[in-house]
Amino acid sequence: MSEVNRGSRIGGWTRFVTARPRLSLLVALVITALAVVAGSGVGDRMGSGGWEDPDASSTYATQALEREFPASQPNLLLLVDAGGKGVDDPAVAAEAERLTERLAAEEGVVGVGSYWQTRAPALRAEDGGEALIAARITGEEKEAGETLERIAPEFRGAQGPVEVSVGGPVAVRHEMQAIIQEDLLRAELIALPVTLVLLVMVFGSAIAALLPLGIGIVAILGTNAVLRGITEITDVSVFAQNLTTALGLGLAVDYALFIVRRFREELAEGAEVRDAVGTTLRTAGRTVLFSALTVAVSLAAMMVFPQYFLRSFAYAGIAVVLLAAAAALILLPAALMLLGHRVNSLDLRPLFRRRRSAPGDGTAAGSRPAGPAEAGGWGRTAALVMRRAPLFAVATATGLVLLGLPFLGVKFGTADDRQLPSSAEARVVQEDIRGGFPGSPGGGLEVLGEGGATPAEYADYRDRVAALPDVERIDGPVVAGDHAYFTVLPRGEAVGQEAQRLVRELRAEPAAFDTSVTGTAAVLVDSKDAIADRLPLAVGIIVVVTLLLVFLLTGSVLIPIQAVALNALSLTAMFGAVVWVFQDGNLSGLLGFTSTGDIETTLPVLMFCVAFGLSMDYGVFLISRIKEEYDRGGDHEHAVVFGLQRTGGLITAAAVILAVVMVAIGTSRVTNTKMLGLGISLAVVMDAMVVRSLLVPAVMKLTGRATWWAPAPLRRFHDRFGVSEGGSHPPVGAKSADDGGDGGGANGADGTVSGAGERDKVGV
């Protein structure tokens, strides 16, 4: 079919997005400007917690204790350093009393107590040089943070004969939030120029390189506006902003690379600009849409978990994925309509390299082909892998499994002040308390008693708890009406195995009154239980929807199963590295963090959902091009080689750029953010350079033509509801996997006659 006839088949969507390109871009500019205004200050409205299950027993107990016994739940600690005089010195004691009275008079502060009032040994350092003033700042995270900002400067620093430092959970959260926002700005300043340079090297054209960057900025700003709106309804974690930046840039680059590359291919083959845009949307556009859906589904699965830390990433991830896809499918075609052949303008590659082709299919943009698809480096790699398919499949899979073995020793914990850099004031205070005060303050468990009881019943319960093997000490009860609480100090670490076992023992211990347990270890136990309870549902959603989407794209039963299995295998290196580095502490000096000996419980779930979605993103790009070529000619092995040849460089370039963005995020001074950025960057690189390059072609060679098989009912279902990148079914005369096609040249998916040489003209 001629180019004119092909242009006549441009669908309604193409006409919609290209009819008034200038108007489309103007509207987008106005909406983006509004998003800047709407999303301003979103970070200040976010929280830095969200690891606890809001419906858990520990959460109920925490809220009840805060209401009935404010002094039992201090979240603000003033560390008073006596400066060598000793905390019992009269001048020091007098100043400490004044500080305690001033703090108690502050609005929003309750439950104020100090060593000088109570003489409690737990509030005095073992060397007598420091002591604590404890209080509770009331309100939700945002309100408590505002109160801390107001009062901290009044107490911090030199106060007569003493020096005061501000710590406690509320200070840790507030300082973590501030550091994350600072680090995010620095990451953006690193990632944006580096991404632009890489895009110029990939595209060769400064004009083409600016397009993905623009799409990414639109997606990021739009997502910030969406998150600002969500903060009016529910809690959102400040950590989600890091995902917004990473996915906004990464996916925009992926989608724009795929669309711009296909557009330049069509131009190089002689298509008119409007026809090239139409073909691009029918082919690459459909792939982008399916890719966005698979990534969004992976991220949406985090909605099933009760912790708002995980749910926040679902909010941010879904928004940024859909906005990146919408911008790529609406704004980018409009820009390409206006640019036309000028998309190749301003070739800056001589500044970076000489006499090298752009990554993609082995040829520079707009050049003539050197030969068949297999002539390029990626094609030769695919051909080599397929000739030795069993060896590559076994060796690659074994290597990935071995890299993941450290994860078998994972230990789950909870985030604490050691997430912060060692110089952070809140961490310094907590380190002093942890190392210098008796009884591990803050590491105890609180048992809330409700319903009233006699002194004898309280004493009996206390004696039975004291006899439990994992109990170091029990204090209390403190009684107020029908409520009472005991403080139980576990043996060993505050969140160690003994403490977690003790939580379950306390909950199983019978009492004459209703009991509920809270404390750091109790929150961890409940968080682990909530994740374990909902993880099968989350994984099931991801797997089922991914299988369905890939089937709709390919019409094959085996390819969706392969995609899910190989994507999961590609994540093993990430999980192994997380344990080896961040749990075991290897490279901690080089990377600048403190290992706590465990991994925060929600992080592996988050990293799985994000990395799996990104792996599917690259998988869809590769599979869709293989499928298009198979529909065109019916030759399975040629289609695999051709698909890798045409997308190998593209996927690698996209993965490298996304890895750069994630590494920039990984420069954060907060350990969890560092783990997220570096871990996902490793997963992305392994997926693109190992799984897509070696394992996929090897497995597809082993499965052969059965790769494309589907039972008759599913074939009919796909005929009715499925789509492929080519937007059509195999042309008349092309033979299917069931009737033994010989793989010769055939009509293209759009009806044009196309041989391997004709199709091998352009790079990225």
Side-chain angles (χ1 to χ4, degrees):
M1 185 179 291
S2 68
E3 294 294 335
V4 173
N5 289 335
R6 179 166 62 178
S8 68
R9 297 178 56 190
I10 295 176
W13 180 253
T14 304
R15 288 194 296 271
F16 171 76
V17 299
T18 61
R20 294 180 177 85
R22 289 183 176 83
L23 178 61
S24 298
L25 293 178
L26 178 61
V27 170
L29 182 61
V30 172
I31 293 175
T32 302
L34 293 175
V36 172
V37 176
S40 61
V42 62
D44 296 331
R45 300 185 60 82
M46 293 179 164
S48 54
W51 291 285
E52 68 279 356
D53 176 1
D55 299 322
S57 170
S58 58
T59 304
Y60 169 80
T62 298
Q63 293 169 347
L65 285 169
E66 179 182 353
R67 182 178 63 251
E68 303 294 338
F69 304 98
S72 71
Q73 296 283 296
N75 58 8
L76 174 66
L77 298 174
L78 300 185
L79 179 67
V80 180
D81 187 342
K85 295 183 178 181
V87 295
D88 295 315
D89 180 85
V92 171
E95 182 61 35
E97 291 283 2
R98 284 192 291 271
L99 288 171
T100 303
E101 292 172 2
R102 284 173 50 198
L103 185 60
E106 293 286 351
E107 183 180 354
V109 179
V110 298
V112 179
S114 71
Y115 161 73
W116 295 272
Q117 290 178 328
T118 65
R119 296 293 168 176
L123 298 178
R124 180 182 184 273
E126 293 176 338
D127 65 2
E130 297 171 321
L132 293 172
I133 301 173
R136 180 159 193 91
I137 298 180
T138 60
E140 300 295 330
E141 282 187 36
K142 182 176 183 298
E143 183 182 352
E146 291 173 348
T147 301
L148 180 70
E149 282 187 340
R150 173 172 54 83
I151 67 175
E154 301 297 324
F155 292 88
R156 178 184 292 120
Q159 303 286 338
V162 301
E163 186 80 17
V164 179
S165 301
V166 179
V170 69
V172 171
R173 288 197 301 267
H174 188 71
E175 195 156 3
M176 187 178 297
Q177 186 172 8
I179 290 174
I180 286 173
Q181 292 188 57
E182 293 172 4
D183 291 347
L184 181 60
L185 177 60
R186 187 183 70 250
E188 290 171 345
L189 294 176
I190 295 171
L192 286 172
V194 174
T195 298
L196 180 58
V197 169
L198 292 174
L199 286 169
V200 170
M201 296 175 68
V202 168
F203 280 117
S205 160
I207 299 298
L210 287 171
L211 295 175
L213 211 56
I215 297 299
I217 291 172
V218 168
I220 292 169
L221 295 176
T223 302
N224 284 339
V226 171
L227 292 178
R228 176 64 174 79
I230 294 176
T231 60
E232 298 290 341
I233 304 171
T234 187
D235 293 320
V236 179
S237 171
V238 69
F239 287 92
Q241 280 193 297
N242 295 286
L243 187 69
T244 296
T245 296
L247 290 186
L249 282 177
L251 292 177
V253 166
D254 289 355
Y255 299 156
L257 273 173
F258 208 61
I259 287 175
V260 173
R261 178 194 187 277
R262 190 57 182 258
F263 176 72
R264 295 171 81 184
E265 276 189 43
E266 297 300 321
L267 290 182
E269 291 182 0
E272 296 296 328
V273 171
R274 185 175 294 274
D275 295 342
V277 171
T279 301
T280 297
L281 287 177
R282 283 199 310 274
T283 56
R286 281 193 176 93
T287 300
V288 165
L289 180 60
F290 268 77
S291 173
L293 290 175
T294 58
V295 178
V297 166
S298 294
L299 297 171
M302 287 186 284
M303 291 288 290
V304 307
F305 297 100
Q307 294 93 335
Y308 87 73
F309 174 80
L310 288 175
R311 297 171 71 89
S312 299
F313 285 92
Y315 306 146
I318 294 170
V320 76
V321 168
L322 296 182
L323 286 171
L329 296 175
I330 298 174
L331 303 184
L332 188 54
L336 294 176
M337 280 291 297
L338 295 176
L339 288 171
H341 289 274
R342 292 192 298 274
V343 74
N344 297 318
S345 301
L346 297 181
D347 187 352
L348 300 180
R349 278 176 298 173
L351 296 176
F352 305 101
R353 59 184 180 179
R354 294 185 181 278
R355 296 184 182 180
R356 290 183 60 190
S357 59
D361 65 352
T363 58
S367 67
R368 303 300 299 176
E374 291 83 348
W378 289 104
R380 288 193 297 270
T381 298
L384 172 63
V385 169
M386 295 178 77
R387 284 196 299 271
R388 301 287 187 272
L391 174 62
F392 278 98
V394 172
T396 305
T398 301
L400 290 172
V401 169
L402 290 175
L403 289 175
L405 287 180
F407 193 72
L408 296 177
V410 66
K411 299 175 183 176
F412 294 110
T414 187
D416 60 21
D417 58 280
R418 287 170 290 183
Q419 293 282 313
L420 295 171
S422 57
S423 60
E425 180 187 25
R427 176 174 173 178
V428 170
V429 170
Q430 297 303 123
E431 293 279 14
D432 280 356
I433 294 172
R434 192 162 32 239
F437 284 69
S440 300
L445 297 169
E446 284 79 40
V447 180
L448 172 68
E450 296 179 289
T454 65
E457 289 171 330
Y458 284 135
D460 176 66
Y461 179 78
R462 172 179 172 145
D463 291 342
R464 284 188 284 108
V465 169
L468 294 175
D470 294 311
V471 172
E472 179 72 28
R473 190 180 77 241
I474 179 171
D475 298 323
V478 177
V479 182
D482 290 339
H483 295 79
Y485 80 91
F486 301 82
T487 300
V488 182
L489 187 66
R491 298 184 187 277
E493 295 290 330
V495 292
Q497 293 302 312
E498 296 92 342
Q500 295 179 52
R501 185 167 56 245
L502 179 58
V503 170
R504 302 192 187 279
E505 292 170 351
L506 290 172
R507 288 173 173 171
E509 186 68 30
F513 45 89
D514 295 330
T515 62
S516 51
V517 183
T518 188
T520 306
V523 171
L524 174 59
V525 167
D526 288 338
S527 180
K528 289 168 65 175
D529 288 347
I531 289 175
D533 181 56
R534 292 164 175 81
L535 187 60
L537 175 60
V539 173
I541 291 171
I542 292 173
V543 170
V544 170
V545 179
T546 298
L547 290 173
L548 177 60
L549 288 174
V550 178
F551 173 77
L552 290 175
L553 185 66
T554 63
S556 162
V557 170
L558 195 56
I559 287 179
I561 297 173
Q562 287 180 0
V564 170
L566 297 186
N567 283 357
L569 191 59
S570 72
L571 306 184
T572 54
M574 175 185 73
F575 285 124
V578 161
V579 170
W580 189 77
V581 175
F582 290 95
Q583 176 180 297
D584 298 342
N586 296 292
L587 306 181
S588 58
L590 177 64
L591 298 177
F593 70 92
T594 300
S595 172
T596 59
D598 52 45
I599 302 296
E600 204 285 315
T601 312
T602 59
L603 258 294
V605 176
L606 168 63
M607 296 175 75
F608 170 81
C609 292
V610 174
F612 188 91
L614 293 173
S615 296
M616 279 306 307
D617 187 45
Y618 299 137
V620 168
F621 287 171
L622 175 58
I623 291 169
S624 64
R625 203 61 192 266
I626 293 174
K627 167 67 173 172
E628 181 185 4
E629 183 63 17
Y630 181 76
D631 284 349
R632 196 190 305 268
D635 186 330
H636 171 69
E637 292 192 19
H638 169 76
V640 175
V641 173
F642 182 86
L644 187 61
Q645 170 62 20
R646 299 307 292 267
T647 63
L650 184 75
I651 291 173
T652 301
V656 168
I657 292 171
L658 179 56
V660 166
V661 176
M662 294 306 305
V663 168
I665 297 294
T667 62
S668 173
R669 293 166 290 170
V670 175
T671 305
N672 275 356
T673 306
K674 187 186 298 291
M675 187 190 312
L676 178 67
L678 298 182
I680 292 179
S681 66
L682 175 62
V684 165
V685 170
M686 292 296 292
D687 181 76
M689 297 187 176
V690 177
V691 174
R692 303 297 152 205
S693 303
L694 303 177
L695 200 53
V696 169
V699 170
M700 294 190 81
K701 167 65 175 180
L702 294 175
T703 55
R705 298 177 65 80
T707 301
W708 307 102
W709 176 84
L714 289 180
R715 283 205 304 270
R716 288 192 294 270
F717 179 85
H718 182 264
D719 288 342
R720 182 172 181 181
F721 298 106
V723 295
S724 65
E725 183 177 288
S728 65
H729 302 296
V732 176
K735 298 182 180 180
S736 69
D738 295 326
D739 60 18
D742 61 8
N747 291 338
D750 55 9
T752 59
V753 177
S754 180
E758 277 300 302
R759 291 188 300 273
D760 233 84
K761 293 183 178 178
V762 296
V764 171

